[in-house]
């Protein structure tokens, strides 16, 4: 089993380091690591250090760095525009997509989204998505944390499609995502619609911006599972999973 990951502002290159604060509490009091056990420190931006615990107190661990690494970001970059979903389905989507390697999630206010992110409620929803992504990244031992962007409307999302290999999941599409042409570098941007589907005018705007409608298979998936299923296909097809 791989070592637990704890996020720190700056990863030490060598020597000793004191892990305290929220991460120290989690390591010492929740995970209950003990002297001699190992863990990994990371900054969420590709730098990690393997460490061994040298001392433990309440809410605090002292560790010694045994290896320091700088891990490159994987290519191509996988971005998912996830339509806002009702209840906790959006957070479930964020969690699962983070676990399978998404690099950026763009919350999309689709025409058929039941959820509306407005004012303070919208700000809280965005923070929940970001917190969910952070915790899921730690759980899956990711060296790179995904970005959760500010929410966008359809026009802004269409503008982002330019310059990317862009695909829209749509149940009536003829092209399977598994056979779609994919770059080895750059950005692949996937659009996942809400429970009610992508509206015709939205699909037309995305196609006009250069996106290709694609399908996963004969089944119709929930918005909370479509993105993670598509990411699995993309990760295998691009060689990110090998």
């Amino acid at each position: 089993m791989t070592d637990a990951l704890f996020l720190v502002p700056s990863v030490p290159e060598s020597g000793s380091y004191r892990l305290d604060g929220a991460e120290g509490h989690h390591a010492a009091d929740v995970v209950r690591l003990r002297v001699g056990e190992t863990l990994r420190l990371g900054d969420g931006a590709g730098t990690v250090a393997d460490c061994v615990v040298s001392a433990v107190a309440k809410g605090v661990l002292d560790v010694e760095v045994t290896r320091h690494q700088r891990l490159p970001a994987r290519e191509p970059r996988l971005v998912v525009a996830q339509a806002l979903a009702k209840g906790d389905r959006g957070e479930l989507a964020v969690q699962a997509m983070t676990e399978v390697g998404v690099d950026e999630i763009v919350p999309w206010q689709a025409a058929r989204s039941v959820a509306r992110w407005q004012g303070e409620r919208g700000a809280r929803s965005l923070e929940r998505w970001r917190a969910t992504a952070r915790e899921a990244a730690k759980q899956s031992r990711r060296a790179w944390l995904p970005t959760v962007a500010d929410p966008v409307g359809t026009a802004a999302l269409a503008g982002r499609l330019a310059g990317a290999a862009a695909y829209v999941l749509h149940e009536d599409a003829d092209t399977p995502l598994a056979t779609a042409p994919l770059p080895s570098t750059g950005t692949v941007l996937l659009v996942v619609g809400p429970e009610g589907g992508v509206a015709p005018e939205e699909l037309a705007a995305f196609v006009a911006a250069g996106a290709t409608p694609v399908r996963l298979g004969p089944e119709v998936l929930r918005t909370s599972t479509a993105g993670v299923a598509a990411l699995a296909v993309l990760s295998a097809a691009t060689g990110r999973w090998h």
Side-chain angles (χ1 to χ4, degrees), residues 5 9 15 23 30-31 39 49 52 55 67 70 78 96 113 143 146 152 154 173 175 177 187 196-197 221 238 240:
L5 173 69
E23 294 291 78
V30 179
V31 182
L39 58 84
V52 59
R67 183 174 64 163
R70 174 69 184 173
L78 301 181
S113 290
V152 298
T154 297
T175 302
L177 178 59
T187 298
L221 303 182
T238 60
R240 285 180 49 140

Side-chain angles (χ1 to χ4, degrees), residues 38-51:
T38 55
L39 58 84
R40 174 170 278 195
L41 301 179
D43 63 359
T47 302
V48 295
D50 295 324
C51 305

Side-chain angles (χ1 to χ4, degrees), residues 163-188:
Y167 299 94
V168 184
L169 291 184
H170 198 280
E171 61 188 80
D172 293 330
D174 295 324
T175 302
L177 178 59
T179 63
L182 298 170
S184 58
T185 61
T187 298
V188 177

